[in-house]
Every structure is written in C-alpha cells, then in structure tokens.
Amino acid sequence: MPDALLALILSHLPGESLAAVVASCQACRQLLPHVADVAVGHLGIPLPAAQKSCEPIARRIEYARRMSARSRCSLAAGRSFSLCISSSGHLFSWGVDVDDDYGVPDDPDELGSPGGAVEQLHRCFVGHLGHGSLWGQAERLPRALVALPQVVEVASGRFHCLLLASDGRLYSWGTGSFGQLGHGDRRPQPRPRHVQGFDGHAVQVACGHDHSLVVSSDGEVFSFGRGNLGQLGQGQMGMRAVPARVCLPPPPSQSVSTQSSSTVSAERVVHVAGGLFHSLAVTDAGDLFSWGSGTNGRLGHGDTIMQLRPRRVAALQSPRIVHASAGCGHSLAVSDKGELFSWGQGHNGRLGHGNQETKMSPALVQGLLGHVIVRAFAGWEHSVALTREGVLYAFGAGDHGALAQAWEEPATPARVCALGDDGACDVAAGAEHTLVRTRAADVVAFEWGLGSQPGARRAGHKMLPLHVFKAV
C-alpha cells in the first residue's frame, strides 16, 4: 500500500486506535509525522507541541481534533452590552452601560475622555462596542464591526472584549484599566487590536470581570489583567498587562521530582472560564482547576481560602468534567454524563438547589437529573443550563427578566418556555440579561429593557423575549 494512502487511513483513526496500531506496526510508526500533518491539516489548528519527549503523537492529534470540534462561544453578554458572531463570521455589537455605579470605567482621564469627569455627565463610555469611539451614544441595534478577519469566538468582561480569529490570532478592545487587553499598557482600545504579546495559536478565549484568559493550541492557559485576588493564577497578586502562562500542577500520581510544575503543565486545557475574581480551567483528562478569590466557597475546595495558583477541585475528580462557567460568586460544571454541579454563593437561588444556601464544595443539581446537560452559563446572579435537545433551564435572580421566567426568583431549575419550539444552540449569561441563539440563527434577548440595551417586554409577571436579529 502506498505510504500516502496508508497515512490517510491512519489519520482518520481515533487517538486510542491510532496509538494501538502504531505500537504494533513499525511501518506505521515511521509514518507518524506524515499522519499528523494529514490528520490536523484540515482542522485549522496546528499540532500541539510535545509536553515531553515521550508523549505520543496520537494524543496530540486527538487534542487538536477535540479543540476543533468543540462548541465555540458565538455570543457574549457584558454588563449591559452584547456581542454576536453571525454565521458568516462577522461580529456585531450593541448596547452600552448607563448604570451610575458601573457606567464610568476606572480612571476616566486615563481612558482618553476629552472632558474627564465632566464629559461623563453627557456621554457614555462605548469603547467596548468596538466601533472606533471611546465616548458617545448607545448602539440600540446590532452594528457590525468593520475591517476584521473572520471571527470564530468572542468573550466579554465588564468593559473589555476578546475575539478569536479563524487563523488563531487574538484581538482585544475596550477599557484597559488593569491591563486586561494584553497590549502592555492600560490604554483603552476603541477598535479590536491584535494582541502581539500572544504569539501562539489561540483556540479559546474567556473574560472575567477585569481579566482575560486564553487557551493556546498547545493546551496551555495564558492570563492577563486584574489580579488583585489571585484570579490570574500567576502565584502573586497584582496587575499583568501582557499574556503570561498559567502553570497547572501535575497529576497527584506524578512525582514532582520528575516534572516540575513551574515549567510545564501535565495536562492540556480544553476550556477556561472567568468570573468576578476567580477563574476555572477544564483539562483533557476531565479535571477541573480553580484559582482566585475563595469567598463564599466559589473555588469548590471546601473553604474560603484564596488560591494564587490553579488547584485541582478534589470533589470533582470522579466525574469527568467537560465544561465550566464562573459567575459573580458562584461556579458551574458539567460532567461527561450530562450532570450539572454548582457551588459558591447561593443568594437568589442561583445554585439551583431549592434554597439560598452557600455551598463550599460542588453539589449535584438534583432538579436536572434525567436531562443531559451539555453546557452551563453563570451570569451575575443567575444560571442557565442547556440540554442536548436545545432546551434551556434557568434559575436564580430574575428581577430584570434575565431568566425569561416569572418575576420571582426560582431556586430550582425551571424550563424556559418562551422560545417556543425553537431549540437553543448557544447562550450568554450577562449581569442582568441573557442572550440566546436558536438553531435557526435567531438571536433573542431576555432582560429588563430599560436603558439602551434592547430588552424584553414585560407582560404581567413574565418577561417576553425580544428578537434582536437574524445572525446569518
């Protein structure tokens, strides 16, 4: 059989099967470099670098396949603004923050406001909308950002945003008060700007309140921005204005003497999430790591101790975790069996356990047993779970219509019926609003609708969704 044909056949084998064939066939083993090129060439993701000399190429191929096939975030919900990627890869933004407590970014003079504090009284900071102006009026309808490459993923924090281009380049814009844009300074960016300090190939992006997280094609995590409570995972508190690698500890069974945790991560990361003052990471082995502020037990370690570096969540070592989300003071995790776990601050019933108790360790959400959860989304004080069938369940604070449920706050998961027969394929949970993308590419918003953000309409004691636009 010609080598090219054999390499093509081998390139379609699952990672474990490929490893078994290579182990028993010398000819196949010699073809491995070519097999790797064929296997990942069409994925748009480079083959990750070997973590150590003896790491099988088959494992590296499997990681590239997994990251290429994962569900990407096409929606982002900030404090009171929204982002959406259309099916054609164009990015749209709308809204602005007009709340007196949050509507003015930190150090407005530093942000380039021509009138300083006086200017704030007449115009809003709109740099996070990405249309070229730092100060101006709200965008009440979705508006496309221009001069961008094809966008495949987007994330938003309080006043800053990240996007991932199809070629793996990282862009950021908005306020840079804490270095969360990664450009080496604290200046704002009114348009998306390439983060030159990150020279790898990004495969996932996430934003905390004022910090940023990026996963590279090698399965490593990079963080930058505000780190006053350890949310950067760099081993110290403080701001960092350029991307820096976050090192995960080796597996418990691995001797520290054989591999230093300060130089290389023992597992590849497949997903990251940022909250107010904490961060989460899921590895290809199904482990969950958390770091940052431990207030209210949001890290899941059974205490409230701050963690300056990633620490494995021991309570979730049995179920294999595939997805996680971080909110204001709570955390969510989804297992490969479709189970949802929640922990941290329980106020407003955001944990879904039928009460408002704080949980120091992950607890199974009993109200969703029998449903296969594929992803979960932690908003400021509410949570949303997405099932395999595209059905949404919501719980927690709903006083702004963020849950599309009754005005009261459900402490157990309640099905979101307002979508009708349209199944959901993506969700973004913001501070006080929720965005949903249906399988028909319709984007709808559930929110209070007061101010500049396109909002839900109140009918009696329920919030009706507003159709924002068709994201094709």
Side-chain angles (χ1 to χ4, degrees):
M1 181 182 296
D3 288 351
L5 179 58
L6 179 58
L8 179 62
I9 295 174
L10 292 175
S11 70
H12 285 81
L13 293 178
E16 293 183 0
S17 300
L18 176 60
V21 170
V22 168
S24 60
C25 176
Q26 176 66 26
C28 295
R29 191 156 49 247
Q30 294 176 345
L31 283 175
L32 264 182
H34 185 45
V35 170
D37 291 339
V38 175
V40 303
H42 66 286
L43 299 180
I45 296 177
L47 186 72
Q51 292 182 332
K52 49 187 178 181
S53 59
C54 60
E55 182 182 22
I57 289 183
R59 179 172 182 261
R60 295 154 60 192
I61 293 174
E62 193 63 25
Y63 176 80
R65 286 173 174 167
R66 178 172 179 177
M67 294 309 293
S68 175
R70 74 178 186 86
S71 298
R72 297 187 183 275
C73 296
S74 65
L75 300 172
R79 178 61 175 81
S80 284
F81 70 98
S82 304
L83 302 168
C84 175
I85 305 172
S86 70
S87 301
S88 57
H90 295 94
L91 181 63
F92 293 79
S93 70
W94 65 98
V96 76
D97 201 291
V98 295
D99 188 284
D100 289 340
D101 293 331
Y102 295 92
V104 178
D106 303 84
D107 303 324
D109 291 321
E110 226 176 64
L111 294 182
S113 167
V118 176
E119 186 74 16
Q120 301 163 19
L121 299 176
H122 306 286
R123 294 197 291 173
C124 302
F125 179 74
V126 294
H128 48 278
L129 298 183
H131 299 302
S133 298
L134 290 177
W135 298 85
Q137 303 300 317
E139 293 289 345
R140 297 180 180 274
L141 295 174
R143 178 182 171 188
L145 278 71
V146 299
L148 285 180
Q150 184 179 32
V151 182
V152 296
E153 187 165 75
V154 67
S156 66
R158 179 176 59 156
F159 284 112
H160 79 289
C161 308
L162 300 178
L163 74 78
L164 171 59
S166 58
D167 60 2
R169 287 188 295 173
L170 174 68
Y171 292 78
S172 66
W173 70 99
T175 178
S177 303
F178 299 99
Q180 61 264 51
L181 300 185
H183 300 302
D185 55 34
R186 300 173 61 186
R187 296 181 61 81
Q189 295 295 329
R191 294 186 186 277
R193 176 185 171 189
H194 178 218
V195 181
Q196 296 183 352
F198 178 79
D199 57 3
H201 185 109
V203 292
Q204 196 229 329
V205 294
C207 290
H209 195 244
D210 292 310
H211 69 287
S212 303
L213 301 166
V214 182
V215 180
S216 74
S217 59
D218 291 329
E220 296 179 330
V221 179
F222 293 79
S223 67
F224 45 101
R226 190 175 189 178
N228 61 317
L229 293 173
Q231 59 265 48
L232 297 184
Q234 302 291 340
Q236 59 187 10
M237 294 181 288
M239 182 191 81
R240 189 176 287 269
V242 293
R245 189 159 59 92
V246 179
C247 296
L248 271 61
S253 59
Q254 183 174 317
S255 171
V256 177
S257 63
T258 61
Q259 181 177 25
S260 173
S261 63
S262 63
T263 59
V264 67
S265 297
E267 301 177 43
R268 285 195 171 88
V269 172
V270 296
H271 179 77
V272 289
L276 176 61
F277 294 124
H278 73 297
S279 303
L280 304 173
V282 179
T283 71
D284 56 358
D287 289 330
L288 178 68
F289 291 82
S290 64
W291 61 94
S293 170
T295 303
N296 301 123
R298 70 190 72 181
L299 299 184
H301 302 306
D303 54 39
T304 60
I305 300 174
M306 180 192 305
Q307 300 293 329
L308 298 181
R309 293 188 183 278
R311 177 182 173 186
R312 184 177 281 102
V313 179
L316 290 176
Q317 284 188 261
S318 177
R320 186 174 181 273
I321 301 303
V322 295
H323 187 266
S325 184
C328 176
H330 72 296
S331 303
L332 306 173
V334 178
S335 76
D336 61 347
K337 296 181 179 179
E339 304 164 313
L340 178 64
F341 296 84
S342 65
W343 63 97
Q345 170 63 263
H347 184 57
N348 304 112
R350 72 190 80 172
L351 300 185
H353 300 302
N355 53 50
Q356 298 193 45
E357 296 178 3
T358 291
K359 299 285 186 181
M360 295 290 181
S361 298
L364 180 66
V365 179
Q366 300 286 339
L368 288 173
L369 290 179
H371 302 284
V372 179
I373 306 302
V374 292
R375 286 190 288 166
F377 311 86
W380 209 241
E381 296 182 350
H382 71 285
S383 304
V384 182
L386 174 63
T387 72
R388 181 174 54 191
E389 295 76 22
V391 177
L392 296 181
Y393 288 85
F395 41 99
D399 56 344
H400 291 262
L403 302 186
Q405 300 290 355
W407 192 259
E408 58 268 14
E409 299 167 346
T412 55
R415 180 171 179 171
V416 178
C417 299
L419 290 177
D421 296 330
D422 292 336
C425 63
D426 199 7
V427 177
E432 294 171 343
H433 74 293
T434 301
L435 296 176
V436 179
R437 186 193 193 103
T438 71
R439 291 174 175 173
D442 291 306
V443 176
V444 298
F446 298 96
E447 57 216 4
W448 201 357
L450 300 181
S452 60
Q453 182 80 352
R457 301 156 183 169
R458 186 175 180 183
H461 290 288
K462 291 191 175 181
M463 307 302 292
L464 303 179
L466 177 72
H467 181 271
V468 180
F469 76 126
K470 192 88 167 179
V472 294

